[in-house]
Amino acid sequence: MSLAKANIYTAEDYYNVPEDVRSELIDGELIYNLAAPTIKHQTLAGELFGRIWNRIKSKGGSCMVFPAPHTVNLYNNNKALLEPDISVVCDCGKISEKCINGAPDWVIEIVSPGSINKDYFVKLNLYKNAGVKEYWIVDPMKESILVYCLEDEHFNVESYKFKDRVKANIFEDFYIDFSEMEM
């Protein structure tokens, strides 16, 4: 009796997915036809992107912020090609025309009903192992924010609610006040 062989997908398969189809490649699994985000999801993403972009611009910082869709070649080896909701990259040498090559400094994922397991478990471990300094899981259904900060190869976690002011740890004096957001 032979066992069915699972398809192992590659970066070539990922880059051959039509541009209008959102997809990710994780450990040889091609995840595509990701559901379109809700209005609340997009509103949160826009608010967060705008606040981060304004902070970087006002301080004359060298970091860059990217909203979805954009590709992160997480380990710079084409094994994990992800599309975070927001990425902040402070080493501009990681940025190419095609993607971000290597771990961003800060990643924000906004949870959707179909991404719960991926955001809370799969991506948490991928981002930790890749050396992402800060990972936020923003959950509009629970109205909560989990902030993971990498210290000595382990994530320390703080929990917040949508009424709280949350420190962005990769910057010295930057907070995002969720109670001020239009949602």
Side-chain angles (χ1 to χ4, degrees), residues 20-56:
D20 61 337
V21 177
R22 296 181 56 236
S23 62
E24 294 183 312
L25 177 69
I26 301 174
D27 295 329
E29 182 182 356
L30 188 60
I31 303 159
Y32 60 96
N33 282 334
L34 302 173
T38 64
I39 295 299
K40 188 168 189 174
H41 180 286
Q42 290 301 82
T43 302
L44 272 167
E47 286 273 355
L48 289 165
F49 172 81
R51 289 165 194 263
I52 297 165
W53 187 86
N54 285 335
R55 193 307 179 160
I56 291 169

Side-chain angles (χ1 to χ4, degrees), residues 118-129:
K118 193 168 52 163
D119 292 338
Y120 277 100
F121 301 105
V122 176
K123 286 186 174 183
L124 172 68
N125 287 311
L126 287 170
Y127 292 143
K128 178 181 72 75
N129 293 336

Side-chain angles (χ1 to χ4, degrees), residues 3-181:
L3 297 174
K5 189 174 181 180
N7 284 340
I8 303 297
Y9 294 94
T10 66
E12 183 179 353
D13 298 314
Y14 171 84
Y15 286 115
N16 283 324
V17 172
E19 279 187 32
D20 61 337
V21 177
R22 296 181 56 236
S23 62
E24 294 183 312
L25 177 69
I26 301 174
D27 295 329
E29 182 182 356
L30 188 60
I31 303 159
Y32 60 96
N33 282 334
L34 302 173
T38 64
I39 295 299
K40 188 168 189 174
H41 180 286
Q42 290 301 82
T43 302
L44 272 167
E47 286 273 355
L48 289 165
F49 172 81
R51 289 165 194 263
I52 297 165
W53 187 86
N54 285 335
R55 193 307 179 160
I56 291 169
K57 289 296 182 192
S58 73
K59 298 290 185 178
S62 61
C63 299
M64 295 184 70
V65 59
F66 299 93
H70 64 281
T71 300
V72 172
N73 183 358
L74 191 59
Y75 298 106
N76 202 19
N77 66 3
N78 292 320
K79 300 288 184 193
L81 300 168
L82 307 176
E83 286 192 11
D85 290 306
I86 297 173
S87 296
V88 176
V89 179
C90 297
D91 175 359
C92 292
K94 292 181 177 181
I95 301 167
S96 72
E97 186 64 31
K98 197 175 208 178
C99 64
I100 296 166
N101 293 295
D105 295 274
W106 180 14
V107 172
I108 299 173
E109 294 285 4
I110 301 169
V111 178
S112 298
S115 72
I116 293 169
N117 185 57
K118 193 168 52 163
D119 292 338
Y120 277 100
F121 301 105
V122 176
K123 286 186 174 183
L124 172 68
N125 287 311
L126 287 170
Y127 292 143
K128 178 181 72 75
N129 293 336
V132 170
K133 294 176 187 169
E134 188 163 354
Y135 175 43
W136 287 20
I137 300 174
V138 178
D139 191 329
M141 296 161 288
K142 294 180 180 178
E143 295 192 352
S144 67
I145 305 101
L146 293 176
V147 175
Y148 293 88
C149 291
L150 191 63
E151 293 179 20
D152 300 322
E153 298 181 21
H154 299 286
F155 271 141
N156 292 326
V157 64
E158 295 282 334
S159 180
Y160 300 91
K161 290 293 183 188
F162 276 19
K163 62 180 172 45
D164 294 329
R165 189 171 175 245
V166 182
K167 169 105 173 71
N169 294 287
I170 68 161
F171 298 119
E172 192 170 312
D173 61 346
F174 180 50
Y175 293 83
I176 295 178
D177 191 338
F178 277 75
S179 70
E180 294 176 347
M181 290 192 186

